Amino acid sequence: RLILWSLDGTTGVATVTLNSPQNLNSLRILQTWELSLVVEHVKNDPKTRCVVWTGSGRAFNAGADWNGTGQQEELDAAIPEQVREHYISRGIGPTPGDLALKELTLAFWDLPKPSVCAVNGLAVGGGANLALANYHDYVVCSEEAKFLWPFSKLGLTPELGSSFVLPAMVGIVRAKELLLTNQWCSAAKAREYGLCNQVVPADRLMEVAMRAAENFAGSNLTALGLGKRLLHQHMGRERLDGILDRENESLLESFGSEETQKNMKKSREAAAKKKAAKAAKSKL
């Protein structure tokens, strides 16, 4: 399983842990499906009053796993095609060509229940957006957390709504700094920019996140959900569908370019050499 789930039956707080530390919890196809199904479960489960998201190991989420192999086989083994088609017919789960993860982004935005993110380590690309780009209602970062949007280096463009959300949250100048310069952003800078609520020592991360979650869980969820909906409407929820469509169009255009394909090939070759070297070393 790429995601672990636990629920405190007393408080109603669920903990969701991204659990593939061997690849820095990167966004493989199966993980995006599991995220979609977990959000749907949280929405419909009366026992779940709030959810906390975190990662295992030294990363929160390293973004799309462009070099990962066996992803389709992994997906088919976990969620058969017939089951996936059933969910997609209900508007649940990623569809082919949805590189911007439109369905997942909208599912998080429309989740009526409170969501807390406990960012334990590095978060890259889509992982940085999953942590900071208005997917959650409260964000706590470890002092060890750091963020990177390496889109232009990879030859790609912003996704998960970040081309819209980040300028709205931090202003266009800082959004360009984050999305276009390929520079790491520390947890302290994320706090300075208003992208997270708290930065705490690593050993206090879950304690602080759980305290926030329990506070949410003890609230009137009807009022809280309606409040979230109002805030998101004022922020531009009605525009988000079209924005995600344009992000997908831009991604497909950039992904199909000759320059990007060359970069991807080099990246895959480098990853394969690194894997072979690691395997050879393990045999010694």
Side-chain angles (χ1 to χ4, degrees):
R1 293 181 299 173
L2 301 186
I3 290 179
L4 298 179
W5 163 276
S6 65
L7 176 66
D8 185 324
T10 302
T11 64
V13 174
T15 303
V16 178
T17 305
L18 309 181
N19 188 46
S20 53
Q22 69 278 7
N23 63 11
L24 303 179
N25 303 320
S26 59
L27 280 168
R28 293 172 69 83
I29 300 172
L30 176 58
Q31 190 192 75
T32 61
W33 264 99
E34 290 183 338
L35 286 169
S36 294
L37 296 178
V38 168
V39 172
E40 182 69 10
H41 176 73
V42 169
K43 181 175 70 174
N44 293 305
D45 179 25
K47 296 179 181 178
T48 304
R49 298 184 60 82
C50 182
V51 59
V52 176
W53 308 80
T54 192
S56 60
R58 66 186 184 92
F60 174 72
N61 186 286
D65 187 3
W66 298 110
N67 300 313
T69 58
Q71 294 198 53
Q72 189 60 49
E73 293 80 3
E74 178 182 69
L75 175 64
D76 290 339
I79 310 174
E81 183 178 5
Q82 185 177 4
V83 175
R84 299 198 303 270
E85 289 177 351
H86 169 72
Y87 279 115
I88 289 174
S89 70
R90 296 171 52 199
I92 302 167
T95 56
D98 182 16
L99 299 178
L101 296 184
K102 177 179 179 178
E103 180 278 333
L104 184 64
T105 300
L106 296 178
F108 268 98
W109 269 64
D110 294 341
L111 180 64
K113 294 180 182 178
S115 180
V116 175
C117 192
V119 189
N120 56 298
L122 65 87
V124 178
N129 290 329
L130 185 63
L132 300 179
N134 198 46
Y135 272 54
H136 310 283
D137 307 304
Y138 202 89
V139 179
V140 184
C141 291
S142 160
E143 292 174 341
E144 298 175 359
K146 58 181 180 178
F147 307 90
L148 178 67
W149 291 263
F151 298 123
S152 59
K153 184 176 181 179
L154 293 172
L156 300 173
T157 53
E159 25 77 305
L160 282 78
S162 59
S163 66
F164 166 62
V165 176
L166 287 181
M169 295 177 74
V170 305
I172 190 65
V173 173
R174 285 176 167 174
K176 286 183 176 180
E177 174 193 343
L178 296 172
L179 292 172
L180 302 181
T181 66
N182 304 298
Q183 300 295 315
W184 283 99
C185 172
S186 67
K189 180 178 280 190
R191 177 71 180 89
E192 176 190 344
Y193 284 8
L195 291 170
C196 67
N197 299 91
Q198 290 181 260
V199 178
V200 301
D203 61 0
R204 294 193 59 227
L205 177 67
M206 293 308 295
E207 170 199 342
V208 174
M210 292 303 292
R211 187 185 307 136
E214 289 169 5
N215 178 60
F216 279 130
S219 301
N220 182 314
L221 292 191
T222 301
L224 197 152
L226 290 171
K228 283 182 63 171
R229 187 174 69 184
L230 278 173
L231 290 168
H232 290 176
Q233 286 173 345
H234 295 323
M235 192 173 179
R237 170 62 182 84
E238 73 282 353
R239 298 174 53 201
L240 191 57
D241 289 77
I243 287 165
L244 287 159
D245 288 337
R246 289 193 290 277
E247 285 187 349
N248 266 322
E249 292 167 2
S250 181
L251 279 163
L252 289 171
E253 182 178 352
S254 62
F255 192 76
S257 71
E258 182 179 353
E259 184 178 11
T260 297
Q261 287 300 309
K262 287 181 179 179
N263 289 342
M264 290 289 184
K265 182 179 179 181
K266 289 180 181 179
S267 180
R268 286 192 296 268
E269 290 172 349
K273 288 181 181 179
K274 184 177 180 180
K275 184 176 181 181
K278 185 177 181 180
K281 185 177 180 180
S282 66
K283 293 180 180 179
L284 298 178

